[in-house]
Amino acid sequence: MTKTVLNSYLFFGGRCEEALAFYGQAIGAQIDMVVHYKDSPEPTPPGMLAPGFENKVMHASCRIGDSVLMASDGCGPGANFSGFSMSLTLPTLAEAEKAFNALADGGKITMPMAKTFWSPGFGMLTDRFGLDWMVTVTH
């Protein structure tokens, strides 16, 4: 029997490999697969890709803890992450603070990591790629 799975798929508009390397350092993302447009067994339809994007990421997959994050450069420059946040939950305050600070490097903290009524540590930030994050401690 097959189970239902919901994964995030993010489009980095030309910065996918940079983002994957950053998430590897910041939160331990483990890259499972990267396929570039130029390596596709089928040619990309004419006019679909922005000039220079043949060397960009068509599809990538990585693991962060027990979750899978999929990503691509899309077909042209620019990324628009709007209307959602990635939510990262860690077991200890020390791990949450470390991940929060690493993700905030080059980005913007919107709510500093602090104790809340639901968690010993919770904070929000926008990373250097414009992706919003909520980092929380389990309990």
Side-chain angles (χ1 to χ4, degrees):
M1 182 156 90
T2 304
K3 64 180 180 176
T4 301
V5 176
L6 174 67
N7 294 342
S8 297
Y9 203 116
L10 304 174
F11 295 91
F12 286 94
R15 297 179 70 192
C16 187
E17 287 188 292
E18 180 187 351
L20 293 174
F22 175 73
Y23 298 137
Q25 289 181 321
I27 56 176
Q30 299 291 313
I31 297 172
D32 291 328
M33 154 201 243
V34 175
V35 177
H36 296 90
Y37 284 104
K38 67 180 180 182
D39 298 324
S40 174
E42 296 181 14
T44 305
M48 183 175 166
L49 290 179
F53 262 61
E54 49 283 333
N55 293 319
K56 297 295 183 180
V57 175
M58 180 175 76
H59 174 72
S61 177
C62 68
R63 285 174 284 111
I64 301 170
D66 291 333
S67 299
V68 174
L69 174 68
M70 292 183 279
S72 173
D73 277 311
C75 295
N80 181 18
F81 301 119
S82 175
F84 70 96
S85 291
M86 301 300 287
S87 181
L88 180 64
T89 303
L90 295 141
T92 68
L93 182 58
E95 289 172 285
E97 287 174 336
K98 181 180 177 188
F100 182 86
N101 291 330
L103 287 168
D105 182 28
K108 178 183 175 189
I109 295 172
T110 52
M111 180 179 171
M113 180 70 70
K115 185 179 186 320
T116 64
F117 67 88
W118 69 86
S119 173
F122 175 81
M124 297 189 304
L125 63 101
T126 302
D127 72 19
R128 63 178 69 174
F129 303 99
L131 187 59
D132 291 333
W133 290 84
M134 299 183 298
V135 179
T136 190
V137 179
T138 307
H139 53 318

